[in-house]
Amino acid sequence: MQYSGRAFELTVEKPVAWEYLLFAAALKDNLDKLDNLRYDMKYGITFKNAILYDAPKEIIDFISDYDKRINEAV
């Protein structure tokens, strides 16, 4: 795990209530790593489960199939 210099500084210097400050620094570091996922939730965009198509026909087939499933559901 990679933590900021602040986390290591707190571990070495051990100021008053250093355990709580260390927890806060580690939590902030880990939340900062998840920043991109926050934007995925905010905008509803993700590239994690992307499907790559090699030919335009594959895209058209996918859309046609998806359209059929939607029409059957309605």
Side-chain angles (χ1 to χ4, degrees):
M1 293 185 170
Q2 294 180 339
Y3 292 106
S4 65
R6 176 73 176 144
F8 291 111
E9 178 185 342
L10 290 168
T11 305
V12 172
E13 294 180 1
K14 296 186 180 175
V16 175
W18 69 274
E19 299 95 339
Y20 303 102
L21 296 171
L22 177 62
F23 174 76
L27 181 62
K28 182 182 181 315
D29 289 344
N30 285 308
L31 288 176
D32 287 345
K33 292 176 190 174
L34 300 174
D35 206 28
N36 289 337
L37 296 177
R38 182 174 60 96
Y39 291 119
D40 290 351
M41 289 295 293
K42 181 177 179 181
Y43 298 110
I45 299 171
T46 182
F47 298 104
K48 199 172 206 174
N49 297 327
I51 300 171
L52 302 176
Y53 294 103
D54 295 325
K57 184 181 180 327
E58 292 178 276
I59 298 169
I60 294 169
D61 291 343
F62 172 79
I63 293 171
S64 297
D65 182 48
Y66 198 75
D67 184 51
K68 286 177 189 173
R69 286 189 279 157
I70 290 174
N71 286 329
E72 289 172 0
V74 176

